[in-house]
Structure formats: C-alpha cells, structure tokens
C-alpha cells in the first residue's frame, strides 16, 4: 500500500520496482469489489508498515480510517509490525510517544527507530531500522505455518 505522502517522498515507480508490481493506492479501487482494505486484509498474514510515519501512528492509535492504509489497519486481524521513521524531534514528541505506547498496548510490535543520519540532514533517533532488523521482526511476528 502506498500512501499519498509516501508517493511524494519515495515515488510509485520505486515502490513498484521493489515490490515487483504496482502498489495499491485507492481505497475505492473498482477492481476490488468488497473494498481494497477488506480484500487486502483478508489476503495478508501480516501487516508491516515501514516506514511508519507520525501521521499513520496517530491515525492508527485513534482509530481514524480515512485512507487505504489506515482502513486496512483497522480491518486487519493478524500480527502488525510497525517501524517508525521520522525526524528526531517528531519521534521524541510526547504525542508520538503516547500514540506508540497505545499501539503497543493494542498488540502491535514496534520496531524502534535507529539513530544515525536522517533525511532532514541531521543525526539522531528516528532512522528506519536496517533491513535485517525489520526482516527479523517480521519473521518473529508471523504465525507458525499450519
């Protein structure tokens, strides 16, 4: 799933190349008759949001569902892995920390951001965890094979 902000930050072509196909973007995709959020939630074994923005964290923590990703989160019944990534000031803000605590209490596995150079050209906490760390968290959260 590619949000509007992610499309501007990363780009549709980059995500399509990495994912091996076009990303889902439309909550009202006519090809998914039951609703994109419902059909995608039913197909998935795990929901991973990486990078997980302060905006998504706030939407999820408060149950706001007004785009494809937030409604998918609300429909999904399996394990959820969230990998926050943002500017250090945002990551350290009490509202973001409160929302992260709420999501953890709701059962989401939070993969904490790392420290290092950020896209804002500053150093600090907020960097997306390295791919090996993310993969390990995802594999650990997956349900055992049936």
């Amino acid at each position: 799933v590619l949000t509007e902000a992610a499309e501007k930050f990363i780009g549709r072509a980059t995500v399509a190349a990495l994912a091996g196909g076009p990303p889902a973007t439309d909550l009202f995709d006519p090809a998914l008759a039951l609703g994109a959020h419902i059909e995608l939630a039913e197909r998935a074994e795990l929901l991973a949001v990486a990078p997980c923005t302060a905006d998504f964290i706030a939407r999820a923590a408060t149950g706001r569902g007004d785009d494809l990703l937030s409604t998918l989160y609300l429909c999904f019944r399996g394990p959820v892995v969230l990998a926050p990534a943002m500017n250090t000031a945002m990551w350290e803000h009490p509202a973001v920390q409160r929302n992260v605590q709420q999501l953890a209490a709701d059962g989401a596995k939070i993969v904490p951001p790392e420290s290092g150079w950020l896209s804002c050209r500053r150093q600090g906490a907020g960097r997306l965890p390295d791919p090996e760390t993310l993969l390990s968290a995802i594999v650990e959260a997956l349900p055992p094979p049936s």
Side-chain angles (χ1 to χ4, degrees):
V1 173
L2 183 65
T3 65
E4 185 178 330
E7 188 168 359
K8 291 178 182 171
F9 190 68
I10 299 169
R12 185 182 295 252
T14 300
V15 173
L18 293 171
T25 58
D26 187 0
L27 179 58
F28 301 102
D29 185 339
L32 300 169
L34 298 177
H37 58 301
I38 295 168
E39 291 196 31
L40 292 172
E42 289 176 351
R43 292 181 197 167
E45 293 180 49
L46 178 137
L47 176 62
V49 182
C52 186
T53 64
D55 180 62
F56 178 76
I57 289 168
R59 288 172 193 246
T62 60
R64 182 173 167 199
D66 61 355
D67 68 358
L68 179 53
L69 183 57
S70 60
T71 55
L72 172 58
Y73 171 78
L74 294 173
C75 286
F76 188 68
R77 298 288 181 230
V80 175
V81 176
L82 305 176
M86 62 198 73
N87 170 274
T88 303
M90 292 172 73
W91 173 245
E92 294 174 349
H93 195 282
V96 172
Q97 291 302 306
R98 187 171 48 251
N99 288 336
V100 167
Q101 289 173 0
Q102 180 62 57
L103 291 171
D106 290 346
K109 172 159 182 58
I110 309 297
V111 183
E114 296 178 356
S115 291
W117 282 104
L118 306 172
S119 62
C120 61
R121 299 186 181 125
R122 296 196 173 127
Q123 285 190 334
R127 186 178 176 89
L128 184 68
D130 68 60
E132 293 81 20
T133 300
L134 283 174
L135 179 60
S136 176
I138 289 168
V139 168
E140 183 180 299
L142 277 170
S146 38

